[in-house]
Amino acid sequence: MPTGLSLRTATNVAQLIAAEYLFDNTVRDAWARRFLAAEGHVMLLAYLDRVGEGTPVGFVTGIEMIHPDKGVEMALYELEVAEPYRRAGIGRALTAALAAVARERGCYGMWVGTDTGNAAALATYLSAGARDEGPSAILAWTFEDTKDTEDTEDTEDTEDTVHHDRDPHGNRHGGDAAR
């Protein structure tokens, strides 16, 4: 683990708001509370001693999934490390810590989906102990009639935008910014 790095489980909305600059969109209070209260959801926040106290430099989220004939597994939903702190082992540390949480909770394994062309994400996950199980496809449904767009802002991509794993509708799905 990088020197001066500490990892903490997110337990309150204030922590999520402090990490908001790492997210794709603005933290919404109701969604944040629901995430924190949901059984099987976990967010680990990465802090560096040299960065102001209370300012995370990265995060990973995981969601436990259960099936009657398979048991419980952890899905790594999203991993993000702030640009100035990438390529320093923080993404690997977050991923390994989530795997440890999964083991502690009795999960039989953990998985993540990422774009096969995302070398940084692949390197991060492989260095944290994952194995490549070959190509696959992600298919998605978007339910426009139920999508809450009240507080959603349209954002335009720029040349500097980091493109995360997105479904055909442009919605981001975990893991791309793993550095």
Side-chain angles (χ1 to χ4, degrees):
M1 190 155 50
T3 305
L5 179 68
S6 63
L7 305 178
R8 300 179 215 152
T9 302
T11 59
N12 62 64
V13 174
Q15 291 171 313
L16 301 183
I17 291 170
E20 185 174 68
Y21 81 101
L22 297 165
F23 301 154
D24 297 322
N25 298 297
T26 303
V27 171
R28 296 192 40 194
D29 188 73
W31 292 350
R33 290 183 192 288
R34 184 174 173 184
F35 176 89
L36 292 168
E39 186 176 338
H41 285 59
V42 63
M43 179 182 291
L44 302 176
L45 299 168
Y47 298 87
L48 283 174
D49 290 345
R50 67 181 184 266
V51 179
E53 179 62 31
T55 304
V57 297
F59 76 90
V60 65
T61 53
I63 301 170
E64 289 180 19
M65 298 172 15
I66 189 165
H67 196 273
D69 73 334
K70 293 175 183 65
V72 182
E73 65 183 335
M74 180 72 72
L76 189 159
Y77 185 76
E78 189 168 353
L79 174 65
E80 179 70 54
V81 175
E83 185 68 40
Y85 308 104
R86 293 180 181 170
R87 307 205 57 80
I90 296 170
R92 177 177 45 248
L94 283 162
T95 301
L98 183 62
V101 168
R103 279 188 206 95
E104 290 169 14
R105 292 181 174 203
C107 295
Y108 70 84
M110 184 168 88
W111 64 273
V112 64
T114 193
D115 183 22
T116 57
N118 187 339
L122 291 169
T124 297
Y125 299 136
L126 291 170
S127 72
R131 70 180 179 285
D132 187 343
E133 295 192 348
S136 63
I138 297 176
L139 308 172
W141 288 256
T142 299
F143 306 118
E144 295 298 327
D145 56 330
T146 61
K147 190 173 181 181
D148 182 0
T149 58
E150 226 174 87
D151 294 345
T152 306
E153 296 179 31
D154 288 346
T155 56
E156 202 171 294
D157 285 346
T158 66
E159 287 181 24
D160 297 329
T161 301
V162 176
H163 292 277
H164 303 279
D165 292 341
R166 296 185 185 270
D167 66 25
H169 305 286
N171 298 311
R172 184 169 127 175
H173 296 280
D176 170 282
R179 315 290 190 278

